[in-house]
Amino acid sequence: MLITAAAAATPAASNPARVVSLNLCTDEYLLLTARQHQIASISRLGANPLETPMAARARGLATNNGRLSDVLAAQPDLVLTMGHDPQGAALVARLGIRLVALPYPSRPADVVAQMRQIAGLVGNVPAGEAFARDVAALTASAPPPGPGLMIGGGGLAPGQGGLAAGWLRLAGIKQLQGGQINLERLLAAPPPIMIRNVYRPGQISLPQAWSQHPALRRLQSRQVEADGRAFLCGGAAMPAEIARLKKALG
């Protein structure tokens, strides 16, 4: 049976005993809500400390390659993923497996709703409510937003109306622009605050080379580093990251 996002908002009659996640973002939701004995496997990314700050929670768990065909032998009673997969949906419908394919969230409130949804599905409603309280506390204590700019590898900045910008507002940052940032213009008119979204800091690549340009270090901006692993999904790991950024910006 295929469960749509709307239908999945209602907790199952009995708690699932073998839950599988195929996506890093649903891995993180599951790691925060499910009891370890319920988790049949998560994706390999969810157990990789280079990809998620929540990897320690995955210690001892089985992992999968993110493909539905890889987990069918485990006979899961609930499969979690993110995005639309018509072929996968048709396959699990034939096999009688419950699939929840979440849409990609576009604002922090969407993340809260999804966390509550997954918590309800695995029979741990209090975990979803605890997450909602954490986000509500961040919202209530958010300072008035001031202008700033988050930049990631290759000079790419999250959009002003997107999920990352929504989280940044809770840290007191109003994202000045999104898209590809021109290095020369940035040097000529630096933002008051620049948040460097650091992902895989030891990796040698062209995107990393852009963000590590010596001229950026000399910008007349207040510079703070963000954990790019948390912003990769912008989901379950974000309350802790926003609290850390608020303290750093203090």
Side-chain angles (χ1 to χ4, degrees):
M1 173 173 61
L2 173 64
I3 303 292
T4 64
T10 302
S14 59
N15 298 337
R18 297 186 60 77
V19 187
V20 163
S21 170
L22 303 177
N23 176 276
L24 173 61
C25 303
T26 52
D27 292 343
E28 292 182 347
Y29 285 150
L30 194 59
L31 290 170
L32 266 188
T33 58
R35 296 160 180 89
Q36 192 167 48
H37 66 82
Q38 291 178 287
I39 303 176
S41 71
I42 60 172
S43 82
R44 290 193 179 103
L45 296 179
N48 186 342
L50 294 176
E51 302 291 343
T52 172
M54 298 176 63
R57 293 174 176 263
R59 191 171 293 120
L61 293 176
T63 60
N64 61 68
N65 61 14
R67 294 194 296 267
L68 187 59
S69 58
D70 188 46
V71 302
L72 294 179
Q75 298 181 316
D77 49 8
L78 175 61
V79 176
L80 303 176
T81 190
M82 194 166 279
H84 187 48
D85 179 8
Q87 291 182 333
L91 175 60
V92 295
R94 290 197 301 271
L95 296 175
I97 297 172
R98 187 189 312 158
L99 171 70
V100 174
L102 298 175
Y104 291 99
S106 59
R107 54 193 183 128
D110 296 338
V111 175
V112 172
Q114 291 183 347
M115 182 66 77
R116 280 174 159 156
Q117 179 179 335
I118 299 303
L121 285 167
V122 301
N124 189 10
V125 169
E129 294 309 307
F131 184 87
R133 286 194 298 273
D134 287 345
V135 177
L138 287 171
T139 303
S141 63
L149 184 65
M150 171 181 271
I151 304 177
L156 289 174
Q160 293 170 286
L163 179 60
W167 284 116
L168 287 174
R169 280 193 292 273
L170 301 188
I173 297 294
K174 179 181 179 181
Q175 181 75 341
L176 286 172
Q177 67 180 102
Q180 182 66 52
I181 303 301
N182 180 279
L183 181 59
E184 288 74 18
R185 290 182 182 177
L186 181 64
L187 296 175
I193 297 174
M194 189 173 81
I195 299 176
R196 299 174 64 248
N197 194 16
V198 181
Y199 172 68
R200 289 182 175 264
Q203 186 181 63
I204 299 175
S205 65
L206 289 176
Q208 289 291 358
W210 194 102
S211 61
Q212 294 172 11
H213 195 288
L216 292 179
R217 301 287 185 180
R218 298 194 297 269
L219 274 183
Q220 297 302 307
S221 300
R222 185 178 180 189
Q223 297 195 36
V224 178
E225 286 193 357
D227 187 342
R229 300 173 303 166
F231 278 92
L232 194 58
C233 284
M238 287 307 298
E241 175 61 9
I242 292 304
R244 188 191 68 79
L245 279 176
K246 283 178 67 176
K247 184 176 182 180
L249 291 166

